[in-house]
Amino acid sequence: MPRMPLPLVFVFRSRAKEEKPQAEKPVNFSKQPRDPQAPKGRPTPKRSEAQSQRRSVANTPTTRKDAAKRQREERRQALQRQREALAGGDERYLPARDKGPVRRFARDWVDSRFNVAEFFLPLAIVILVLSVVRVPSIQNIALLLWAAVIVLIVVDAAVSGFRLKKRLKERFPDGNTRGAVAYALMRSLQMRRLRLPKPQVKRGERP
């Protein structure tokens, strides 16, 4: 039985209709400008941010010599601020041993009263001068004065430490007062004009 010839339409039909259309790529319609130096895919940084970044890059030391020089300058400035704080009492730049309200109260308590220990240095000089005089009676007086000064300093330190410890418990019931009494007694050994930080209260003034 003879076969029927196929229509030409099936032979020469377009293959474009059989192929699926390719997915179109999304078009970025963002009109935000991009800085040539900014990373791809990120918006242009603000002017303040760019300036701060440039300053940080400019201030970053490039060599070991520059880094050492910068560290020396920073240490010098820190010491200068510390000296000014010791003279003026600025709490921000005081050494760690002098910081805090507890230490400040201990300093003010010592500075507000007379302490026997602060006269130790001038009394010691007087006693030393008397002890070198080649007169037995004067040398005996120097020894008695020396013993009396030592006893007075010990008694005054014991009484002052007891009173200060009591005041600290009343003033800072929940605070850490460890080492504050010893700190105050060491300060009382120094002459008032030589104390650092400088006294911020007058004699007789209640801290």
Side-chain angles (χ1 to χ4, degrees):
M1 183 175 181
R3 295 182 181 180
M4 296 294 293
L6 292 175
L8 296 177
V9 176
F10 293 97
V11 177
F12 298 102
R13 65 180 178 179
S14 175
R15 298 178 60 185
K17 295 181 180 181
E18 295 179 356
E19 296 179 354
K20 295 182 179 180
Q22 296 181 357
E24 296 181 357
K25 295 183 179 180
V27 181
N28 186 10
F29 294 98
S30 176
K31 296 182 180 180
Q32 185 177 5
R34 186 178 66 83
D35 187 17
Q37 298 180 355
K40 294 182 178 180
R42 297 183 183 179
T44 304
K46 296 181 180 179
R47 179 177 298 178
S48 59
E49 297 177 357
Q51 290 177 354
S52 62
Q53 291 177 0
R54 284 195 295 269
R55 282 196 296 268
S56 62
V57 172
N59 294 331
T60 302
T62 55
T63 62
R64 183 177 299 178
K65 184 177 179 180
D66 294 338
K69 183 178 179 181
R70 184 175 180 180
Q71 290 178 357
R72 288 195 301 268
E73 182 64 21
E74 290 177 353
R75 285 197 297 267
R76 187 190 66 79
Q77 293 178 0
L79 290 175
Q80 179 65 24
R81 289 194 298 265
Q82 192 175 100
R83 284 193 293 267
E84 294 175 356
L86 289 173
D90 192 346
E91 288 280 344
R92 295 175 299 173
Y93 304 113
L94 286 177
R97 65 181 180 86
D98 299 314
K99 282 185 177 181
V102 175
R103 298 299 174 95
R104 182 179 179 85
F105 179 82
R107 291 196 304 271
D108 292 345
W109 191 86
V110 170
D111 297 336
S112 64
R113 60 191 301 274
F114 285 95
N115 304 277
V116 179
E118 65 180 290
F119 302 105
F120 172 77
L121 184 59
L123 289 174
I125 294 175
V126 172
I127 294 172
L128 182 62
V129 172
L130 293 176
S131 63
V132 298
V133 178
R134 297 187 177 277
V135 178
S137 59
I138 295 178
Q139 290 180 346
N140 292 333
I141 292 173
L143 292 176
L144 291 175
L145 286 175
W146 183 257
V149 169
I150 296 298
V151 171
L152 287 174
I153 289 176
V154 172
V155 172
D156 183 64
V159 174
S160 299
F162 177 78
R163 292 177 59 189
L164 178 58
K165 189 175 182 180
K166 184 178 179 181
R167 289 293 307 278
L168 287 172
K169 287 183 178 179
E170 295 174 354
R171 189 71 174 268
F172 307 98
D174 300 327
N176 183 13
T177 60
R178 183 178 180 181
V181 175
Y183 170 78
L185 294 179
M186 290 298 296
R187 184 176 177 85
S188 66
L189 290 172
Q190 302 171 348
M191 299 179 65
R192 181 182 173 88
R193 67 179 60 183
L194 301 179
R195 292 172 183 171
L196 292 174
K198 293 291 185 181
Q200 304 295 316
V201 296
K202 298 180 181 180
R203 302 266 194 190
E205 184 178 351
R206 188 180 179 87

